[in-house]
Amino acid sequence: MFTKYDNAEVIAKMFAAGKCASSYGMTKAECEAVTSLGSGTSAMFYNDVNLKSFNELQYFTGLTSLGDFCFRYCTKLASIVLPNSITQLGQFCFFSCTSLTNITLSNSIKSLGESCFNSCTSLTNITLPNSINSLGYNCFTGCKALNNITLPNS
């Protein structure tokens, strides 16, 4: 599915957590079998200052939510693509991801937790899907570059 040459940081974390059999890459079945990236300060990518992108997350179709603090303080994370299986982003999920400029939200997302994108100072626009029904307190506080939020039709 993808190798360390595509995204070495993600492969290293997944291998260390026992989510894949090889330190070289992940198969489609291994990606689909991941059901959690953790939450709180023990979340797999919490405070990962080396993670620059995670567009391969779209292949992790066993995930239904991203836990609290999941990508908090990933200050170099610039882009991420969520799988369509995600329905919820936890509290402080992307808090202070100061390089995040692009995120693709799935059409299944129903809720964004408290301070989910708080202090994402490089985020310029975001499109909320029609499925969204809850935005947590301070969801976009401190997003200084955020010029456009596209709201759902309903």
Side-chain angles (χ1 to χ4, degrees):
M1 176 96 325
F2 71 102
T3 70
K4 66 181 181 180
Y5 298 110
D6 299 314
N7 197 329
E9 184 68 19
V10 170
I11 295 298
K13 294 271 187 175
M14 292 297 167
F15 182 69
K19 305 281 186 186
C20 59
S22 168
S23 62
Y24 179 75
M26 288 186 80
T27 66
K28 181 179 183 203
E30 288 172 331
C31 290
E32 292 170 347
V34 175
T35 58
S36 174
L37 298 178
S39 67
T41 56
S42 62
M44 195 177 299
F45 294 96
Y46 173 81
N47 200 28
D48 186 335
V49 296
N50 296 312
L51 184 66
K52 294 179 182 174
S53 69
F54 197 176
N55 297 326
E56 300 84 4
L57 186 64
Q58 66 187 307
Y59 307 125
F60 290 68
T61 56
L63 292 170
T64 58
S65 67
L66 294 180
D68 298 345
F69 297 17
C70 193
F71 292 97
R72 185 174 182 167
Y73 299 128
C74 291
T75 55
K76 291 183 182 174
L77 180 65
S79 69
I80 190 165
V81 178
L82 305 181
N84 287 331
S85 56
I86 298 281
T87 61
Q88 177 183 5
L89 300 181
Q91 296 178 12
F92 300 91
C93 190
F94 291 98
F95 181 89
S96 205
C97 290
T98 54
S99 297
L100 187 66
T101 58
N102 185 36
I103 183 164
T104 303
L105 297 178
S106 75
N107 291 324
S108 303
I109 298 251
K110 294 180 179 162
S111 68
L112 303 178
E114 177 183 339
S115 294
C116 186
F117 293 101
N118 190 319
S119 300
C120 291
T121 54
S122 297
L123 188 64
T124 57
N125 62 64
I126 191 164
T127 299
L128 300 178
N130 287 332
S131 57
I132 201 85
N133 61 26
S134 174
L135 295 177
Y137 182 72
N138 284 335
C139 192
F140 297 105
T141 298
C143 295
K144 297 175 186 178
L146 188 60
N147 294 322
N148 185 41
I149 298 176
T150 304
L151 299 173
N153 295 330
S154 55

